[in-house]
Amino acid sequence: MKIICIGRNYTEHAKELNNAVPTKPVFFLKVDTALLTKNKPFYLPSFSTDIHYELELVVKINRVGKHIEERFANRYYDEVGLGIDITARDLQNEAKKKGLPWEIAKSFDNSAPISNEFVKLADLPKNINFKLEIDEKQVQNGYSDDMIFSIDKIISYISQFYTLKIGDLIFTGTPSGVGQLKVGNKLKAYLGDKLMMNFEIR
Ligand code: MG
C-alpha cells in the first residue's frame, strides 16, 4: 500500500505559502508507517517546532491500473475519506530552500491520520464539501470543485509513473487555512455534515 500526496492543488493555499500555482500536479509519497487510524491521538514530534495540519480529501484506489486515461480514471475509485497531511513546516521550508526532497517533513510516523470510514461517491454531491474544526472553531472549509487538478486528472497523471494498486491512498491537496498544531488541540473533520475524524494532539 502506498500513500501519494498532491501538493498545491488549491489556488488560495498555494498563495498562502507563497508558491506559484503549478501547471502539472506536484506529488510526493508518505510511507505506510505514516498512517494513523481509529482517531488515535497525534503526538507532536521532538524534531520540529512548527507542525501544521492540512485537511485533504483522500481517494482510495479499488482497481489495479497504470497509464490510465483521464476519461477512464473514475473506474479506479468509488469512495473518498478524509485525511490530514501533517507537515513539519520548518523542516519543509529548509528542504525547499536547499532544493531537497520533502519526505523528512511529510512522511514521518503518524503524519497521515485518516478517517476510519470512507463514503461512496454515489452518496455525496458532485462538489464535495469538507471542513476542519480545531477546538470547535472552523479553520478550513474546502470544496472539491476548487481543485486545480481534478481527481481524474491526478489519477491519470500519477499512473504514468506508478502502478496504482487496490488500497492505495491519494491525498488530493489542501484548501487554504493551514496552520500550526498545539498540544491539547481537538480536531474534528467533516465530510459535508458528517463527522469523520475526532482526535487530539498531545
Ligand atoms: Mg498537503
Side-chain angles (χ1 to χ4, degrees), residues 56-109:
E56 311 200 359
L57 275 179
V58 178
V59 174
K60 194 184 273 178
I61 296 296
N62 64 4
R63 201 174 150 176
V64 177
K66 66 187 297 187
H67 298 299
I68 300 164
E69 280 183 53
E70 188 182 330
R71 64 198 165 115
F72 298 129
N74 63 5
R75 299 181 183 173
Y76 291 79
Y77 64 99
D78 63 357
E79 50 184 20
V80 295
L82 292 178
I84 300 186
D85 167 17
I86 294 190
T87 303
R89 195 70 73 201
D90 44 359
L91 299 187
Q92 188 194 27
N93 287 338
E94 211 179 300
K96 275 189 194 167
K97 226 183 286 164
K98 295 180 182 164
L100 294 172
W102 296 359
E103 275 71 13
I104 192 172
K106 287 286 197 179
S107 182
F108 51 87
D109 284 354

Side-chain angles (χ1 to χ4, degrees), residues 6 28 54 56 85 106 173-174:
I6 306 298
F28 57 90
E54 297 186 353
E56 311 200 359
D85 167 17
K106 287 286 197 179
T174 195

Side-chain angles (χ1 to χ4, degrees), residues 6-32:
I6 306 298
R8 306 173 189 169
N9 202 21
Y10 290 82
T11 308
E12 292 306 312
H13 171 63
K15 280 190 202 156
E16 76 181 342
L17 295 185
N18 296 315
N19 289 314
V21 175
T23 53
K24 280 184 213 165
V26 173
F27 67 84
F28 57 90
L29 300 175
K30 289 186 190 253
V31 294
D32 57 356

